Amino acid sequence: MIQYEKALNPKQLEAVTTLSGPLLVIAGAGSGKTRTLIYRVARLVEHGVDPQAILLLTFTRKAAQEMLDRAAQLADPRCRLVSGGTFHSLAHRILRAHASILGFSNGFTVIDRSDMEEILHSLLPDLSLSNTGLRVPKRGTLASMMSKAANLEVPVEQLVADEYPQFIDFAVHAGRLGRLYARYKKKNQLMDYDDLIIYLRALLMEHPELRQRLARRYGYIMVDEYQDTNRIQAHIVKWLGHEHRNVMVVGDDSQSIYSFRGADYRNMFQFPKEFPEARIIKLEENYRSTQPILTFTNAIMERAKERYTKCLFTRREGGAKPRVVNTLTEPEQAVFVVRTIQEMLGRGRRLRDVAVLFRAAYHSFELELELARAGIRYVKYGGFKFMESAHIKDLLAHLRAVLNPDDAVSWGRILRLIPGIGRAKSQDIIEWIRQTGTGPSALKEWPGRAPEKVRNALAQLSELLVKLTQRDITPSKAVEMTLEYYGPFLEQMYDDYPRRRKDLEQLALMASRYQRLRKFVDELVLDPPTSSVDLTQGLPDDFLTLSTVHSAKGLEWSVVFIIWVMEGRFPSAKALNDPLAVEEERRLMYVASTRAKDELILCYPSKEDSHPWGYEHYLYGPGSNGLSSFVSGLPPEIVSYENADRVHVREEFTRQSPWQHPDPTAASAGDSDFMPGDKVEHPAFGPGVVSKLVDREKVEVLFRNAGRKLLHLAYTTLHRI
């Protein structure tokens, strides 16, 4: 038997031993939230509850699995039988069994964000706007409109008017596009990420017998990170627990940072209204940070307009006040961070103990260059879109077309890889497949007109798809066979095909963990890799972490730097005119600061525009020169205000920096003589800045609108501005 009284503090113990009825646990950062959930799972199983009657909902499958493994090691191996996973994986599991109630087949395909963008773009011609002169949003913006409207449960027209006023003339057409998109998905047996939870809620609300059956199956419900749920997910929790009321939700309203995907921190305040008999327990003892860091984070949240009152404290002794360092310019900010890390390494600190956090992925641009110059290994989290990479989507499209013959998106993608087959011809082939009901083996018999070369290519594609339909094929074998077929296309389309091939080989490694092809493909969409570290082979044991704050949530390091702590950057300039958005930015700062265990250093370049070539200003527009309003004004008893050692930093920057702009009058200077920091113009991607020289023939460029691109100078047009 576990000695709960010795393992838990009084508030944790109260939460763990309250087994029946609704329970709201307000768990401050570092207060042992995960430990509390693990011990409560163990307690339920120890008291005779069937593990399969316990449902643990988290926001990543990995988090649920780790909790259940720890509970199994702590108490009873049967804890691994607890039903754990995400809202979307639960919805997917239930919908696979009951999709027919909603008019879908059980073989529907789950589409990801880039599929959604492609479908919406393909439906635009149906709006007949080509001669109207109306500005149409880009496909990514269209997808954001549809997804956020779905999550917030407002008409698309209203969302466009409220959040995209620059497209107000498009609002009515956005509503029409949303209806076309819904019909397209139903026709092609597709569900997007938002549909999964929307349809699950519909099943629970509209079908009492199924709801009661699920209530009997899941007699105890536990929800982690409840502050990150949207209203649909909150309704799912309400209906799943409607019969037995054994619902425990755990969260921290001060860490709600996902409103851009519909999360509503007010669900924390609404829970006691949905379950009036709910007990409320606050976990305020912090096991992570020193008291000076907690005093700082408490001070940040004291200014919040709406929050559950709590005050984090720790029994740890000692610790220095957080440092707020003015580095004057961005290059000096980068050099200061690198120099400080090097000094820490000299005192015995390891790279893995240190993280640099930032509000947006592009904020680390200069720092990455300085780290590379100093030879410091790092891994960056945030902004990583593995599943949205074209080569990944190309390969997976072959597998998805086999699993769902109605998936026109995947069919179109694999057909258009073949030279000579464009959008119109691919649509003709897809329609022929649909009308005739022919399988992949008949693809080479398509009756349309096409050159012999195209027919041979269709025959090769047909041969691959037939092999992929074999009943005993393993997911890893399917990926390997598809990669063998796709390899020549990869080499023709991409200069950096060796790197992309490694990604695809990593996909085969992932597939080897699965027994069934459908499960592999579905889970890649439901739980995709989230950072480069998930895919890196041979990663060194010791590396520095660079991360956006969103990607750092739930993690901790001994030392945390937060850079660009400036008004207009953190908080973001986009949020400054919206009080609700500013409050979310405040919570982001709280999350970033509470990642630190021993040292917290906040940096800001107060003279942003003094960058020698002003590329940051050029790319992203002017920002404020002032310290973030979240930090400014805090008394010196809470933070230490400092200026960077400018003499040393300036000498270091002048000595090491390869950013010295080349003399434009030099005889050797030509369009191929680029240097990091050069402002450039590309005919397709527009303005940007050279960020890295890969070799004599390749450069990496950070474009204002297109992001990072690797360009081969022999095959592209790039002009220095």
Side-chain angles (χ1 to χ4, degrees), residues 448-569:
R449 296 177 59 185
E452 188 66 23
K453 192 174 182 179
V454 172
R455 293 203 169 278
N456 291 337
L458 286 172
Q460 291 178 348
L461 174 59
S462 175
E463 183 181 348
L464 169 70
L465 297 178
V466 168
K467 290 178 181 177
L468 294 177
T469 58
Q470 296 172 5
R471 293 189 63 180
D472 58 346
I473 192 168
T474 63
S476 59
K477 184 64 177 175
V479 173
E480 289 168 8
M481 289 168 54
T482 308
L483 178 53
E484 183 179 353
Y485 164 83
Y486 178 63
F489 295 105
L490 188 74
E491 294 185 20
Q492 290 168 15
M493 292 188 294
Y494 303 107
D495 288 342
D496 61 342
Y497 66 85
R499 179 188 66 79
R500 293 176 186 260
R501 177 176 281 276
K502 287 182 181 178
D503 284 351
L504 295 172
E505 290 168 354
Q506 188 68 17
L507 202 62
L509 182 62
M510 293 180 191
S512 66
R513 305 169 195 160
Y514 295 84
Q515 299 296 318
R516 291 171 40 239
L517 186 60
R518 181 177 295 283
K519 186 173 179 62
F520 165 63
V521 173
D522 283 344
E523 293 202 0
L524 269 180
V525 177
L526 293 170
D527 193 21
T530 57
S531 83
S532 58
V533 74
D534 293 341
L535 306 160
T536 304
Q537 293 284 4
L539 191 70
D541 291 334
D542 199 26
F543 57 86
L544 174 73
T545 296
L546 306 184
S547 178
T548 61
V549 181
H550 285 99
S551 295
K553 188 169 181 290
L555 304 176
E556 60 183 42
W557 295 270
S558 293
V559 180
V560 169
F561 291 83
I562 308 175
I563 60 175
W564 283 110
V565 184
M566 290 178 63
E567 200 74 357
R569 293 304 180 90

Side-chain angles (χ1 to χ4, degrees), residues 215-487:
R216 287 193 296 271
R217 179 176 176 181
Y218 301 120
Y220 293 84
I221 298 168
M222 300 166 66
V223 186
D224 190 17
E225 307 285 12
Y226 193 66
Q227 78 280 350
D228 292 332
T229 56
N230 60 28
R231 289 302 300 157
I232 301 167
Q233 291 162 325
H235 289 157
I236 289 171
V237 172
K238 169 188 171 182
W239 289 111
L240 282 173
H242 188 259
E243 308 293 328
H244 51 66
R245 320 289 283 180
N246 297 325
V247 181
M248 171 184 176
V249 299
V250 182
D252 181 3
D253 52 294
S254 296
Q255 296 188 69
S256 181
I257 57 175
Y258 296 110
S259 68
F260 63 88
R261 67 186 187 197
D264 190 345
Y265 72 97
R266 289 169 293 194
N267 287 343
M268 293 285 292
F269 301 98
Q270 188 65 27
F271 184 83
K273 298 176 183 177
E274 298 284 6
F275 296 91
E277 71 274 33
R279 290 177 67 175
I280 300 176
I281 299 173
K282 297 179 183 179
L283 306 184
E284 296 174 294
E285 183 173 354
N286 180 282
Y287 294 91
R288 175 187 300 152
S289 307
T290 62
Q291 189 59 53
I293 293 174
L294 297 179
T295 301
F296 171 74
T297 58
N298 287 335
I300 289 175
M301 291 312 298
E302 278 177 8
R303 302 176 178 182
K305 290 183 168 53
E306 186 177 17
R307 63 190 175 92
Y308 274 113
T309 302
K310 60 182 179 296
C311 185
L312 296 181
F313 69 93
T314 183
R315 299 177 194 273
R316 288 186 62 186
E317 296 181 355
K321 291 184 291 186
R323 300 167 59 191
V324 178
V325 182
N326 178 2
T327 64
L328 291 185
T329 68
E330 181 186 14
E332 290 170 296
Q333 176 178 247
V335 173
F336 169 79
V337 171
V338 170
R339 173 177 161 242
T340 306
I341 290 172
Q342 289 172 327
E343 291 173 351
M344 290 176 175
L345 296 176
R347 297 196 301 267
R349 182 77 74 184
R350 297 177 303 174
L351 281 175
R352 68 173 67 179
D353 296 328
V354 183
V356 182
L357 306 184
F358 30 84
R359 173 64 183 85
Y362 72 83
H363 286 174
S364 67
F365 177 43
E366 174 107 12
L367 177 60
E368 291 176 56
L369 296 172
E370 191 64 37
L371 289 168
R373 285 195 286 269
I376 295 178
R377 296 167 296 188
Y378 68 88
V379 173
K380 183 176 180 179
Y381 294 76
F384 184 75
K385 303 293 183 184
F386 179 72
M387 289 299 294
E388 295 180 17
S389 301
H391 56 297
I392 300 296
K393 296 194 68 61
D394 284 345
L395 189 140
L396 290 176
H398 295 81
L399 309 182
R400 290 165 56 167
V402 168
L403 293 170
N404 178 8
D406 291 323
D407 184 352
V409 174
S410 295
W411 272 109
R413 193 172 192 100
I414 63 179
L415 288 169
R416 289 194 294 274
L417 288 172
I418 299 172
I421 297 183
R423 187 169 296 275
K425 191 166 289 185
S426 67
Q427 290 300 319
D428 289 343
I429 297 173
I430 293 168
E431 198 58 38
W432 174 76
I433 292 170
R434 180 172 281 153
Q435 289 178 357
T436 59
T438 55
S441 60
L443 189 59
K444 56 183 176 291
E445 299 171 6
W446 176 58
R449 296 177 59 185
E452 188 66 23
K453 192 174 182 179
V454 172
R455 293 203 169 278
N456 291 337
L458 286 172
Q460 291 178 348
L461 174 59
S462 175
E463 183 181 348
L464 169 70
L465 297 178
V466 168
K467 290 178 181 177
L468 294 177
T469 58
Q470 296 172 5
R471 293 189 63 180
D472 58 346
I473 192 168
T474 63
S476 59
K477 184 64 177 175
V479 173
E480 289 168 8
M481 289 168 54
T482 308
L483 178 53
E484 183 179 353
Y485 164 83
Y486 178 63

Side-chain angles (χ1 to χ4, degrees), residues 174-187:
R176 289 173 54 208
L177 182 62
R179 291 185 285 276
L180 287 171
Y181 174 57
R183 286 198 292 269
Y184 182 95
K185 287 184 292 181
K186 202 73 174 279
K187 177 183 177 182

